[in-house]
């Protein structure tokens, strides 16, 4: 009985009213800022979100070499971690491959697991099978996608490379390239095309088309190298022309970049 009375007095005052226990019962934790990695590659989608013209000669992806224009034995992709404090441990870097063109289907070709230290850059090599490098046109479309569960900016995780090349010494200073454009959806879409000619003169034979589901249509790109642009085989002058496709009121579908290697 005494033990019970002592227990009662520890909780109540002499009037029987429960004592107020100091504090609100919550455990105060220190404020710790959680830092997360930011894997990044040159992303056409990110460039478009900033209102900038994108190129499909991706500065972070190398696929082709010259003399003549040909696929390399391996695709090289540069992945950076823009975070200054958080490492991207066990990041997955995927390489997707498909036919040359806009809206063409791609499939996963290879994956690589790596760690990108905060503020650093890594270069990943994806060797290409001989069957891929034996294509007559020596042009394919590639997409590199970085995956990490705690990445802070998904918009810059995916970048594409889709290029074709011509040398003036073999193709002349005026040439044409056919580019396939495909609607990848199971619904009809109107697709708009726009040229970014840069220093070259370029034109296309259509700019808008209402596509049926899965429909594919060729567009011819005519390119002329102005008389004032010159280069040599030892010091070529490389100039790009980019073709950009949009749909749904300006939403980016994709693009290709044609490079004129002026060596005459």
């Amino acid at each position: 009985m005494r033990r019970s009375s002592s227990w009662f007095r520890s909780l109540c005052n002499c009037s029987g009213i429960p004592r107020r226990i100091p504090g609100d019962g919550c455990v105060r934790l220190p404020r710790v800022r959680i830092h997360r990695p930011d894997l990044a590659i040159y992303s056409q989608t990110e460039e478009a979100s900033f209102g900038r013209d994108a190129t499909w000669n991706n500065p972070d992806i190398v696929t082709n070499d010259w003399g003549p224009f040909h696929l390399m034995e391996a695709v090289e992709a540069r992945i950076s971690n823009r975070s200054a404090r958080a490492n991207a441990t066990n990041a997955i870097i995927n390489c997707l491959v498909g036919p040359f063109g806009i809206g063409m289907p791609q499939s996963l070709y290879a994956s690589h697991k790596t760690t990108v230290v905060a503020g650093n850059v890594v270069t990943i090599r994806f060797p290409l099978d001989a069957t891929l490098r034996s294509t007559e046109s020596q042009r394919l479309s590639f997409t590199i996608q970085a995956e990490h569960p705690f990445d802070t900016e998904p918009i810059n995780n995916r970048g594409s490379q889709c290029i074709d090349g011509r040398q003036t010494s073999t193709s002349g200073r005026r040439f044409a390239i056919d580019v396939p454009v495909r609607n990848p959806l199971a619904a009809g879409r109107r697709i708009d095309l726009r040229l970014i000619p840069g220093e070259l003169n370029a034109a296309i034979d259509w700019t808008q088309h209402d596509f049926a589901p899965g429909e594919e249509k060729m567009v011819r790109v005519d390119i002329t190298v102005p008389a004032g642009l010159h280069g040599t085989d030892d010091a070529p002058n490389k100039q790009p022309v980019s073709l950009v496709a949009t749909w749904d009121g300006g939403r980016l579908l994709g693009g290709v970049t044609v490079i004129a290697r002026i060596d005459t």
Side-chain angles (χ1 to χ4, degrees), residues 25 57 90 129 157 159 180:
N57 183 22
N90 293 329
D129 292 339
N157 287 6

Side-chain angles (χ1 to χ4, degrees), residues 63-235:
T63 59
N64 291 72
D65 203 353
W66 297 87
F69 183 80
H70 64 277
L71 288 165
M72 300 172 61
E73 293 186 356
V75 172
E76 294 184 357
R78 186 177 64 176
I79 307 295
S80 62
N81 183 356
R82 295 180 182 176
S83 170
R85 298 191 178 186
N87 298 336
T89 305
N90 293 329
I92 303 297
I93 313 300
N94 298 315
C95 176
L96 294 86
V97 181
F100 174 83
I102 299 174
M104 306 303 285
Q106 292 183 329
S107 59
L108 179 64
Y109 177 71
S111 296
H112 185 87
K113 182 182 287 189
T114 188
T115 293
V116 189
V117 177
N120 280 24
V121 178
V122 298
T123 298
I124 309 296
R125 297 181 80 255
F126 296 97
L128 291 179
D129 292 339
T131 53
L132 285 176
R133 293 188 285 111
S134 64
T135 58
E136 183 178 349
S137 66
Q138 291 295 295
R139 56 185 193 176
L140 294 170
S141 64
F142 297 87
T143 295
I144 303 297
Q145 183 171 7
E147 297 181 357
H148 194 277
F150 304 117
D151 194 281
T152 57
E153 294 291 342
I155 195 173
N156 58 29
N157 287 6
R158 184 183 180 97
S160 297
Q161 167 94 319
C162 190
I163 59 175
D164 195 354
R166 293 292 187 273
Q167 299 178 197
T168 57
S169 58
T170 56
S171 300
R173 300 180 70 86
R174 183 173 182 177
F175 53 89
I177 292 177
D178 290 327
V179 178
V181 180
R182 176 178 173 269
N183 173 18
L185 298 183
R189 282 292 187 275
R190 173 170 294 178
I191 295 178
D192 297 287
L193 298 181
R194 180 172 64 94
L195 275 175
I196 307 172
E199 298 295 323
L200 304 176
N201 299 323
I204 51 179
D205 57 355
W206 61 270
T207 59
Q208 187 180 84
H209 179 69
D210 291 320
F211 281 77
E215 180 184 355
E216 184 177 319
K217 180 179 174 65
M218 287 289 184
V219 58
R220 171 150 289 195
V221 183
D222 290 295
I223 298 174
T224 302
V225 179
L229 291 180
H230 294 282
T232 65
D233 186 49
D234 293 331

